[in-house]
Amino acid sequence: MIFRRIFKKKHLFLLLIILVFISLSLVYFNSHIILQKSINAKVMTWNISGANGVDDDNSTLEDIVEEIEEKDPDIIGLQEVTTEIDYKGLADELDMNYYFAEAGNTNEGNLLLTKYKIIHAEGVDLPLIDGTRARVLIKAEIEIKDQIYYIFITHLSRYDKPIDHWNQASFIASLIPQTSLYNVILMGDLNFAPISPPYAELIIKLRDSYDYINDDNGYTFRSNDRFKRIDYIFCSFDLEPIKSEVLCSDASDHCAVITTFK
């Protein structure tokens, strides 16, 4: 009788282990392998530096427009868009829908431009611990081919505020399960390097679209003759990047990142 009870408990324990293994395998399988879908969209992120150009060379908004029109993206996330910029006029000129979110009272923020219908969009304040300059995240839902896609656009705290941008990255990562593990695109000037704790936290849930395609460093910013990669387009594992490039010009001190999805 005692042996039979031990035998039953042993089998129950083994069954529990098997069920846990199957559950974890399904999560991995769903998020990494299956459900690759065709979105046929080009996505662009760009810190336009207030349309001031490289070293404040008085670049104009028209220079920004020309670069965008040449690449013809379907979804755009712009950072350091000042409230002095006529972003409604910019959207009209590009024939795109738009949503602007200001970071606190800083007179600048992030701008979503898209050829697709915006179902919902809001600005979410990001947490601050070490920094004093407000940061904001655009959290939007757009409709593509009768499906909802979740678009996040942000500009995290400066790289000399590592506590803040790690905390902000964790906050953004926590929002993703509230939406979906699918149809997610996160883009922006994230102010951290690929070898960093915030990057490691995001890469668990999202794919780095540029790194997925390319083997080079993909530098997007130069400071004091040091090159850095701090601008990104991340996506959920169901979306497949087929091309990703960095576009540098005199229109901004940041390079744009442009990813085309299958």
Side-chain angles (χ1 to χ4, degrees):
M1 182 66 71
I2 295 175
F3 176 77
R4 184 179 298 175
R5 288 178 181 174
I6 294 174
F7 183 77
K8 286 183 178 180
K9 288 182 179 179
K10 181 179 179 181
H11 274 251
L12 185 61
F13 180 70
L14 288 174
L15 179 61
L16 181 61
I17 291 177
I18 292 171
L19 289 174
V20 170
F21 176 78
I22 291 173
S23 299
L24 291 175
S25 298
L26 286 174
V27 169
Y28 179 87
F29 190 67
N30 284 334
S31 61
H32 289 73
I33 300 175
I34 65 171
L35 298 179
Q36 293 283 340
K37 61 170 64 69
S38 176
I39 180 176
N40 292 323
K42 183 184 290 187
V43 179
M44 178 182 197
T45 182
W46 197 7
N47 181 330
I48 63 171
S49 190
N52 290 320
V54 177
D55 298 324
D56 296 327
D57 68 351
N58 295 319
S59 174
T60 66
L61 192 59
E62 285 303 314
D63 296 323
I64 303 292
V65 171
E66 287 180 10
E67 297 288 357
I68 292 175
E69 287 180 332
E70 181 180 344
K71 291 300 179 179
D72 191 29
D74 302 295
I75 306 169
I76 308 170
L78 300 181
Q79 303 88 50
E80 289 195 28
V81 179
T82 67
T83 53
E84 297 175 357
I85 291 176
D86 180 14
Y87 44 82
K88 184 181 184 303
L90 174 61
D92 289 341
E93 187 168 355
L94 293 170
D95 193 23
M96 287 181 153
N97 299 311
Y98 76 96
Y99 178 80
F100 176 76
E102 183 180 355
N105 296 314
T106 60
N107 295 321
E108 75 173 37
N110 306 317
L111 177 65
L112 164 64
L113 295 163
T114 178
K115 297 177 182 178
Y116 304 114
K117 180 180 180 181
I118 300 175
I119 303 299
H120 172 78
E122 61 180 308
V124 180
D125 293 332
L126 294 180
L128 286 174
I129 297 175
D130 187 33
T132 57
R133 188 175 181 82
R135 301 288 173 169
V136 69
L137 168 77
I138 289 181
K139 181 182 176 186
E141 298 174 12
I142 65 174
E143 183 178 342
I144 307 175
K145 297 180 180 179
D146 298 322
Q147 289 196 41
I148 300 299
Y149 285 78
Y150 304 94
I151 309 298
F152 298 87
I153 302 167
T154 194
H155 182 192
L156 300 189
S157 291
R158 286 169 49 91
Y159 51 84
D160 58 354
K161 303 291 183 182
I163 295 176
D164 272 339
H165 62 235
W166 189 357
N167 193 34
Q168 290 161 4
S170 298
F171 175 78
I172 293 171
S174 72
L175 295 178
I176 294 172
Q178 296 177 21
T179 54
S180 170
L181 289 175
Y182 308 106
N183 299 1
V184 175
I185 296 175
L186 164 66
M187 68 183 100
D189 175 0
L190 303 186
N191 269 324
F192 55 67
I195 304 176
S196 64
Y199 180 91
E201 180 154 3
L202 287 175
I203 208 68
I204 293 173
K205 294 183 176 180
L206 299 172
R207 171 182 286 154
D208 179 346
S209 67
Y210 187 87
D211 187 63
Y212 181 76
I213 296 293
N214 303 286
D215 295 325
D216 58 76
N217 292 316
Y219 294 128
T220 62
F221 182 70
R222 184 178 70 180
S223 175
N224 299 323
D225 293 326
R226 294 183 62 187
F227 293 90
K228 302 176 182 180
R229 181 172 178 236
I230 56 176
D231 303 86
Y232 301 89
I233 297 175
F234 289 97
C235 64
S236 48
F237 293 104
D238 59 315
L239 302 180
E240 184 178 359
I242 57 174
K243 182 180 180 181
S244 191
E245 59 183 320
V246 171
L247 169 68
C248 301
S249 74
D250 291 333
S252 174
D253 57 352
H254 282 255
C255 302
V257 181
I258 305 163
T259 296
T260 303
F261 292 94
K262 179 179 177 181

